[in-house]
Amino acid sequence: MAQTYGLELEMVGLSHSAIAAAIETVEEATFAGSFGYHGSRRLGLRHARMDGSANDCRWVTETDSSLSCRRTGLTAEIVSPILHGQAGLAHARRIMKAVVRAGGKVNSSCGTHVTMGVANCSARFARMGEGAKARVAGRIYELYDYFWDAICSLVAPSRRNNSYCSRPNARWAGGMKFGIGTKAHYQSVLQNMCDRGAVNLNNFRSSGIIEFRMHNGTLNGHKISNWAMLQHRIVSWACNTAPVDFRNFEQSLEGLFEMVNVNAQLRTALLERAAETPAVTPTQRSWS
């Protein structure tokens, strides 16, 4: 089964009705309504439109009080259906392009969240016991801590260790194990992993879902596709490879790419992205 993704695209400059009109111009896409903060979840619509069907292309908008736009006062969060593999990401790119054509923009108050379904895309993960699954989550959590500066180099300064995407606190729960801790250790750590951090594991145990919250707001579909594919490589590595000590790898993008086996095309795209962003400062390295 193809990797599944969900996107939350925070944006400014358009009303919810204008976003709806833009989404409806995209073939196969349907706009399913505007809601308050997490309103589509409370009303059950999210589950109705995320039934796993490859043809289920219903998008919604929600309000989010963390967003601001002095120029227009118009803000929104666009929430995708389940997106399946490369075809799903291509569909999302068409949505983003339509929203940009309509006048949608982002600013420093915006972020982009990528949610990945682990349980339904890895046969090996599905066979794991609770301890082994916790180790998958813990390795991803610690990876973000160990390679923090490298990952920060792929996002705007507004998303480096702020209150919405803080650095994982891997050293707070029995010490950093550098990817080689016991299953029992990671089960313990999983109890304390922050749901507002760069990696949100709040729904991991119940649903096998991981939310990556760190990317800055963008309506550039290629940036988000590349970011999503990097998260896919990280998840695939955590699910399908034997434990390896992170200290065998440099704490750099090249070290990260080597450890999780990023292909040449994605590596080039991510290095180009890193070259565009400002250098990581000491303040952005700290724990919140």
Side-chain angles (χ1 to χ4, degrees):
M1 180 183 292
Q3 175 65 58
T4 57
Y5 305 93
L7 300 180
E8 296 177 4
L9 309 171
E10 296 175 351
M11 56 151 295
V12 301
L14 288 178
S15 66
H16 289 242
S17 60
I19 296 168
I23 288 173
E24 291 283 3
T25 67
V26 178
E27 186 178 0
E28 297 181 348
T30 300
F31 184 75
S34 298
F35 300 88
Y37 182 65
H38 287 179
S40 66
R41 300 180 192 182
R42 288 192 292 271
L43 294 175
L45 178 61
R46 175 160 299 194
H47 301 292
R49 67 191 174 81
M50 290 189 169
D51 62 5
S53 167
N55 297 317
D56 186 11
C57 294
R58 286 177 282 173
W59 294 70
V60 302
T61 56
E62 297 181 350
T63 59
D64 189 329
S65 61
S66 70
L67 303 177
S68 61
C69 181
R70 287 188 296 177
R71 185 175 61 85
T72 67
L74 299 173
T75 67
E77 180 175 272
I78 304 172
V79 185
S80 80
I82 289 181
L83 303 169
H84 298 261
Q86 292 288 348
L89 292 176
H91 174 73
R93 289 195 294 272
R94 292 193 292 274
I95 294 289
M96 285 183 251
K97 185 177 290 188
V99 171
V100 169
R101 282 201 204 101
K105 300 181 184 300
V106 298
N107 61 24
S108 60
S109 74
C110 301
T112 304
H113 302 167
V114 177
T115 300
M116 300 182 64
V118 182
N120 63 351
C121 69
S122 169
R124 181 172 181 176
F125 183 88
R127 294 193 298 268
M128 290 180 181
E130 292 305 309
K133 289 178 179 178
R135 184 162 61 188
V136 167
R139 293 172 79 194
I140 293 170
Y141 197 74
E142 287 191 334
L143 178 151
Y144 255 73
D145 182 274
Y146 185 79
F147 291 105
W148 182 255
D149 282 12
I151 295 170
C152 279
S153 74
L154 298 173
V155 302
S158 62
R159 302 299 288 181
R160 296 172 182 171
N161 205 32
N162 69 18
S163 59
Y164 301 107
C165 49
S166 58
R167 182 173 182 169
N169 298 316
R171 295 192 177 108
W172 285 13
M176 167 88 80
K177 301 302 180 184
F178 300 101
I180 54 173
T182 64
K183 295 176 184 178
H185 166 75
Y186 289 122
Q187 283 182 293
S188 174
V189 171
L190 192 55
Q191 304 283 341
N192 302 297
M193 291 178 182
C194 177
D195 65 353
R196 299 290 285 177
V199 180
N200 175 10
L201 293 161
N202 199 45
N203 294 315
F204 179 81
R205 282 181 294 176
S206 60
S207 306
I209 292 171
I210 301 176
E211 181 186 33
F212 296 95
R213 299 171 51 85
M214 195 168 173
H215 203 282
N216 49 279
T218 184
L219 293 171
N220 183 317
H222 290 287
K223 284 183 181 179
I224 287 305
S225 290
N226 290 332
W227 175 254
M229 286 188 285
L230 174 61
Q231 310 319 309
H232 171 55
R233 282 305 318 145
I234 291 171
V235 169
S236 180
W237 161 85
C239 288
N240 298 308
T241 63
V244 59
D245 193 325
F246 298 168
R247 291 167 293 188
N248 294 330
F249 300 88
E250 292 184 2
Q251 289 175 284
S252 64
L253 277 177
E254 291 289 5
L256 172 61
F257 296 163
E258 180 184 359
M259 191 172 84
V260 304
N261 193 28
V262 169
N263 66 44
Q265 182 178 359
L266 180 57
R267 175 185 175 277
T268 297
L270 292 172
L271 289 175
E272 289 175 353
R273 170 60 178 158
E276 298 173 354
T277 63
V280 180
T281 68
T283 300
Q284 294 160 352
R285 297 187 181 109
S286 65
W287 287 268
S288 59

